[in-house]
Every structure is written in C-alpha cells, then in structure tokens.
Amino acid sequence: MPGVLVFCETKDGKLKKVSREALTIGRKLAEQAGGDLVAFANGNAADEAGKYGAKKIYTTDATYTADGYAAQLAQVAGEVSPSVLLFGGTSNGRDLAPRVAAKLNVGVASDVDRLEWADGKLRARRPVYSGKAFASVEVTGTPAIATTRPNAFPAEEAGGGAAETASVSAAADSKAKVVETKVPEAGEQSIAEADIIVSGGRGLKEAQNFSYIRDLAHALDGAVGASRATVDAGWIDHQHQVGQTGRVVSPNLYIAAGVSGAIQHLAGMSSSKHIIAINKDPEAPIFRIADLGIVGDLFTILPVVTEEVKKAKH
Amino acid sequence: MNSVVCITHVPDTESRIKIAGDGKKIDEAGLKFIVSPYDEFALEEAIRLKEKSAGDVTVLTFGPDRAQQALREALARGATKAMHVKGEVSDADSLGIAKVLAAAIKTLPHDIVFFGKQGVGPDNGLVGPMVAELLGYPQANVVTHLEVGDGKLTAHREIEGAEEVLEMPLPAVVTAQKGLNEPRYSSLKGIMAAKKIAIDTKSVADLGLSDADVFNTRVVITKLELPPEKSGGRKIDGADPKAAAAEIIKYIKEEAKAL
Ligand SMILES: Cc1cc2nc3c(=O)[nH]c(=O)nc-3n(C[C@H](O)[C@H](O)[C@H](O)COP(=O)(O)OP(=O)(O)OC[C@H]3O[C@@H](n4cnc5c(N)ncnc54)[C@H](O)[C@@H]3O)c2cc1C
Ligand SMILES: Nc1ncnc2c1ncn2[C@@H]1O[C@H](COP(=O)(O)O)[C@@H](O)[C@H]1O
C-alpha cells in the first residue's frame, strides 16, 4: 500500500495551518498516485487529520528535535513505504525534511508552491533566486520528499471520519536537547503563516511610529512585517523582517507603507496574492509590483484606513 | 576549538537573473559571484571562536574553478585553511553536495561544522542538516546566538514567533541565520597573508565517491523560467487621505476579500 505520508505539527491541540495545507495537497497526490493518506503528528489530531482525508495517523509525544524525530519518522516511513513524503514548511518541517532524506538516501524539493504526481514521478515547482525565477523539478527517489511553502496550497477539508491512530515504535533518541522556548512578544502573530501582513519601512521615521503599522495589522487580525532598514535601526525585532535575509512570505494581502521596495525586500514578498503600497515617492520601485499603489503620506492615510477597518469589522 | 565552515559561491543578490540556453540553468555570463550572505555569518562565528580559544578554521567549498575566489575571500577574513573540491556543482543535487562535504569534513579537524541556513539563490536550506545526518551529529539550524562550552554548545534557534534554546554535545552542525553576528571585512593585511596559504584541492573521486552518488539523480531540474512580468496595478494620488483610504478599503473588501 504505497500512498502519501505527511509530517504535521499541532499547536494547542490543533493542526497548524501549514500542516492542514500539506494534508490537502497530500490527499490530492494520493488520489493521483494511488494509496492512502497517512499523517505523522506530535500530538493527537486524529479527528482533524481525518477531516482532511487521512486514513491513519502516527502520533509521537516526544519533544521535537531533528535527530529524534528523524529516527521516528524514518521508522514510520519504513512501515508505510509511501511514494511521497511531504512536510508542511514550518521551521521544524524544514529542519527535519533534509535529515530524514539523508537517512533514506533520497532527495528533497524544498519550499515548493506546486505539486503533482505524473508518470510515476513527483513534479514540483519551487521559487528560486528569491522569487526571481521558478524551477520545475522532478523528484525521483522513493519516497519522493518535498516541503510545502506556507500559503501556497489552500487547506480544504474532505469530510472524512477520524483517522485510525497508530503509535510510533522507534524511540526519539536525540543528542540535542531543548532547554527553553522563549516567546518574545506574547500575542504577536508570526509573519510566517499570516494571511495578512502590514509592513513598515524607513518612511516611518522612528521606532515609536511602528504603532501606525501595528494598529492597522491588529485591526485586520494580521501580522507586522518590516524592512531590513528598520530592523537594522533597532526599531523592531528581526523576527518581523521580510525579504531575502528575513522571511519569504506569500500572504493573501500584503500592505507596505514607507517601504521603497528594494530588490531584496521584493524577493521576500512579491509572491503575495494582493499587494497594496503607500509611498510618497511616485518613483518608488514598490509600485512596480503593487496591485494598488497610493502615492501619499502614510501618516495621514494609515490612521483613516485603520478606523475604517475597525468600523467595517463591527 | 576547530571549525569547518562550508561556503558556497552565489550570484550577487542584486543580480538580474537570466536563463541559459538549455532552459535549466542560469546564464552565468556577466554575473558577479559572492560568498553566500548566510555563510558570512557562519564564517564570522568560526573566526571569533578561534580568536577566543585557538585552533583552525578550515573553509570548504565544492564548486567549479571560480569558487576559489570565495575561499580566498574567507582566508583574507581570518580562516586558516582551505579545501576546494572541484566539480560542476550545478549538476549535483543537495544530497550529492552533502555527501561530498561530509566526506571532506571527515578528513579535516573539527568540533563544529558551520553552514549558512541556506545558500542564497537555490534557496534550498538542505545541505547543513543532510551533512549532520550523514555524520551522525546533532544540528542547530537557523541559529541567532551561540555559546560554546566544554564539549558542548548552546544555540538559540529561530522558530515561528519564538526562539528555542538547544543544548548539544560536540561535534555538532550549526547553520547560521542573520543576527548571529556582524561579519567583518577583509583587511589588506589579511588579503596579503591569505595569498601565502595553499588551497588543498581535491576531486570527487579523491574523496572515494562515485559520480553517480553525487550528480543529479534524485532531484532533476527540468525547467527554469522567469516569473510572468508583473505589470504593476493602479497607481493613484493619495493627497486626500479620506479618498485614498476609501480606495484601500474597497480593494481589501472586493479584491483581497479580507474584510
Ligand atoms: C545582502 C542584502 C540583503 C538584504 N536583505 C534585505 C531583506 O531581507 N529585507 C529588506 O527589507 N531589505 C533587505 N536589504 C536592504 C535593502 O537593500 C534596502 O536597503 C531596504 O529594504 C530599505 O528599507 P526601506 O524600504 O525601509 O528604506 P528606504 O529604502 O529608505 O525607503 C523608505 C521609503 O519610505 C518612503 N517614505 C518616506 N516618508 C514617507 C511617508 N511619510 N509616507 C510614505 N512613504 C514615505 C520613501 O519614499 C522611501 O521609498 C538587503 C540588502 C543586502 C545588500
Ligand atoms: N557547493 C557547496 N560547497 C560548500 N558548502 C555548500 C555548498 N552548497 C551548500 N553549502 C552549504 O550549505 C548551506 C545551505 O545550502 P543549501 O542547502 O543549498 O541552501 C550553505 O549556506 C553552505 O554553508
């Protein structure tokens, strides 16, 4: 029984969005390749995984470490012998996939935004040169491994019953140990998975003016992004940086205010589905990729937008 | 404390990418190549460790002749040894590269093996953890802070919206993220000193590997293409904040469907 095995992560007892996305595309691949959709997760998510089409779910209660989970996942992959092994592109998914691939002596297509099974092969598309080009690749090993880019595959339930649960027999033996997890700004949404991002640049003039960005982001239930210039200036933490040396994001809506649109910034956000830019310089390069460009002063425009959003939400 | 730093030579991040005639690779003509930016953080960290506790920093690259420039640059900044495994790296997949590097690393003195979190360009983020697995070492991936103690290291790893603190015994693999340090520039004195250091050159066969193990059998690029030119959308004058805000709200509602 080949099929598709998907590495999933839960948080507070629920599957992360990227994991639900990976399960959805995994289900489609299983339909194309033949066989069942099987999940591997850190925590019990049998009901939820079942809704996304998983027939079986292996759960581990070990704390995540790359070497520990690699041992467990390799054992499960040996048992399931899937044609395809997918990892939702969370930090841990991207940490783990190459380790498992090396163990199984197969390759990986990382950070893919399209996937299909055709002629007995996994075909993927991945953005390269930070979005300046796309590479189509064929992954020929068994299993064929890929990590999925957040927001690239819509999560759609298929309405199945709870997945059958199975336990992982291999131990999560690890030389590494997690001693602490620090959550810096409690309640701040991470830009990695956000559907909506509002980003600020040097046009904000000073650190405290990030409140203009935060207010709109919070009103929209979105995350706060930033250009490198503002991170380097110490106005905001690096976790928020979008771009080549920050996070590559592709939310549904990206709003950039006071960001010039340097090539390294565009590299991190140009695949966003909808882009709005506010900049007082009509020649700013950000306008080249914006769907809606506003030539104007962010300090006068943003507060009105924030008020209107709040009104619309009530 | 001995380190190996794996560095890769990539097109400058400002480059305009053109596709080569075969439709599968980039056209390298006229491109300026640099040490991949994350590898600079890796190198800087290794040099700082050496400055604190002596030992060697060996820079290692697998690549064509031009990749020697990357090794020279690293030596000028303070690396003490260099190894160049020659080969057409663009024909290898990430696991092939990892096998070459792992075989080379086994011949070099090391307590920590440093990588960039990803090679800028191919943007894979695969080689570091693959080498860790091949060598049986633990890994600290996407590291923003590192402390090295007696036979072990403590690393801060960036994860979604948080930071994880990991502890592991040496030898170990560390991949560098921006924020780990501020890389130094090379000095004239460093450049002169670097010229005297011989680069140890090897072939894939010298390392006991076969071409079939290394060159593209697992992940094959079938096509490389440029994204469709985004024409830019509407650009409107925002002198009237109310009118501009109304346009934005309309767009958020009707196009993005986010309200
Ligand atoms: C190797 C390398 C990697 C890099 N990686 C990244 C990266 O990951 N992410 C990144 O962002 N950058 C990155 N950069 C830096 C990048 O080149 C730019 O320097 C940076 O993005 C500029 O940030 P900015 O747009 O905030 O600032 P600026 O370029 O200074 O732009 C500020 C903009 O604000 C506008 N403005 C000013 N006042 C107002 C106002 N009142 N209302 C509206 N608009 C206003 C101005 O017209 C201007 O366009 C990298 C650079 C290098 C060399
Ligand atoms: N050809 C190579 N030679 C030496 N090191 C490499 C090579 N390719 C990748 N690396 C290292 O592996 C890291 C991750 O690369 P990648 O997996 O290609 O994103 C890089 O930052 C380098 O440290």
Side-chain angles (χ1 to χ4, degrees), chain B residues 135-146:
Chain B
L135 296 174
Y137 296 169
Q139 74 195 49
N141 208 0
V142 196
V143 169
T144 54
H145 180 77
L146 183 70

Side-chain angles (χ1 to χ4, degrees), chain A residues 199-214 224-227 230 235-236 257-259 298-299 302:
Chain A
S199 274
R202 191 144 53 191
L204 289 169
K205 306 273 186 304
E206 53 186 356
Q208 70 193 51
N209 289 338
F210 250 103
S211 62
Y212 285 85
I213 302 295
R214 280 197 193 95
V224 175
S227 72
T230 64
W235 297 355
I236 189 161
V259 176
L298 71 92
F299 295 111
L302 282 183

Side-chain angles (χ1 to χ4, degrees), chain B residues 165-192:
Chain B
V165 184
L166 288 170
E167 223 174 69
M168 61 193 67
L170 303 181
V173 160
V174 172
T175 81
Q177 164 68 316
K178 177 174 185 276
L180 181 58
N181 52 46
E182 268 312 318
R184 72 193 66 192
Y185 295 107
S186 46
S187 62
L188 190 59
K189 191 166 146 252
I191 296 170
M192 297 314 287

Side-chain angles (χ1 to χ4, degrees), chain B residues 5-9 36 38-39 42 60-63 89 94 97 101 114-120 122-128:
Chain B
V5 186
C6 297
I7 59 176
T8 173
H9 203 213
S36 179
Y38 296 105
D39 301 358
L60 169 63
T61 194
F62 170 40
V89 72
S94 302
I97 296 171
L101 298 179
F114 285 99
F115 296 83
K117 76 152 187 178
Q118 73 189 51
V120 166
D123 298 338
N124 282 306
L126 296 172
V127 170

Side-chain angles (χ1 to χ4, degrees), chain A residues 17 114 138 213-214 219:
Chain A
K17 182 163 164 245
R114 284 188 196 165
E138 277 180 8
I213 302 295
R214 280 197 193 95

Side-chain angles (χ1 to χ4, degrees), chain A:
Chain A
M1 181 211 65
V4 177
L5 177 62
V6 180
F7 168 76
C8 299
E9 270 181 87
T10 61
K11 196 176 174 222
D12 306 326
K14 297 193 79 123
L15 288 172
K16 287 193 175 182
K17 182 163 164 245
V18 197
S19 300
R20 290 185 272 118
E21 292 170 359
L23 280 172
T24 308
I25 182 67
R27 183 177 79 230
K28 293 181 181 163
L29 293 173
E31 281 160 13
Q32 293 163 6
D36 284 342
L37 179 67
V38 180
F40 174 103
N42 63 328
N44 196 342
D47 287 335
E48 213 186 348
K51 281 194 193 133
Y52 285 88
K55 292 279 180 289
K56 193 169 180 179
I57 183 166
Y58 288 81
T59 52
T60 175
D61 46 21
T63 302
Y64 176 83
T65 56
D67 46 351
Y69 269 40
Q72 292 197 314
L73 196 51
Q75 179 251 312
V76 171
E79 219 171 286
V80 177
S81 34
S83 316
V84 178
L85 171 53
L86 291 185
F87 294 78
T90 54
S91 297
N92 288 348
R94 284 179 298 184
D95 190 43
L96 180 59
R99 185 125 203 166
V100 172
K103 226 185 212 348
L104 302 176
N105 197 27
V106 294
V108 181
S110 67
D111 201 27
V112 305
D113 67 355
R114 284 188 196 165
L115 277 170
E116 65 168 347
W117 181 268
D119 308 327
K121 278 183 197 142
L122 185 68
R123 298 221 168 111
R125 188 184 83 162
R126 43 187 314 272
V128 290
Y129 297 93
S130 15
K132 283 188 256 178
F134 288 100
S136 299
V137 300
E138 277 180 8
V139 194
T140 53
T142 308
I145 300 187
T147 63
T148 64
R149 171 175 275 229
N151 288 332
F153 303 94
E156 294 155 9
E157 293 186 10
E164 173 199 340
T165 55
S167 56
V168 182
S169 52
D173 282 337
S174 171
K175 289 181 183 161
K177 196 168 76 204
V178 178
V179 288
E180 196 188 340
T181 304
K182 294 185 181 177
V183 184
E185 296 153 83
E188 281 268 9
Q189 202 187 129
S190 154
I191 57 173
E193 293 189 34
D195 255 339
I196 300 178
I197 297 174
V198 186
S199 274
R202 191 144 53 191
L204 289 169
K205 306 273 186 304
E206 53 186 356
Q208 70 193 51
N209 289 338
F210 250 103
S211 62
Y212 285 85
I213 302 295
R214 280 197 193 95
D215 290 349
L216 179 57
H218 292 167
L220 285 165
D221 291 324
V224 175
S227 72
R228 170 160 164 185
T230 64
V231 172
D232 285 353
W235 297 355
I236 189 161
D237 192 80
H238 177 252
Q239 289 270 358
H240 297 273
Q241 185 181 318
V242 172
Q244 190 144 42
T245 43
R247 282 263 180 192
V248 175
V249 298
S250 41
N252 176 42
L253 175 63
Y254 191 91
I255 303 178
V259 176
S260 59
I263 193 160
Q264 298 92 351
H265 189 84
L266 301 187
M269 46 65 73
S270 58
S271 64
S272 305
K273 291 191 190 70
H274 300 95
I275 301 171
I276 301 177
I278 304 171
N279 196 304
K280 68 177 186 191
D281 172 10
E283 300 304 322
I286 190 86
F287 287 129
R288 271 191 250 136
I289 61 147
D291 300 292
L292 176 62
I294 309 281
V295 183
D297 179 8
L298 71 92
F299 295 111
T300 60
I301 297 169
L302 282 183
V304 188
V305 177
T306 305
E307 274 321 300
E308 291 299 321
V309 169
K310 283 184 184 159
K311 271 191 222 157
K313 289 237 164 178
H314 275 295

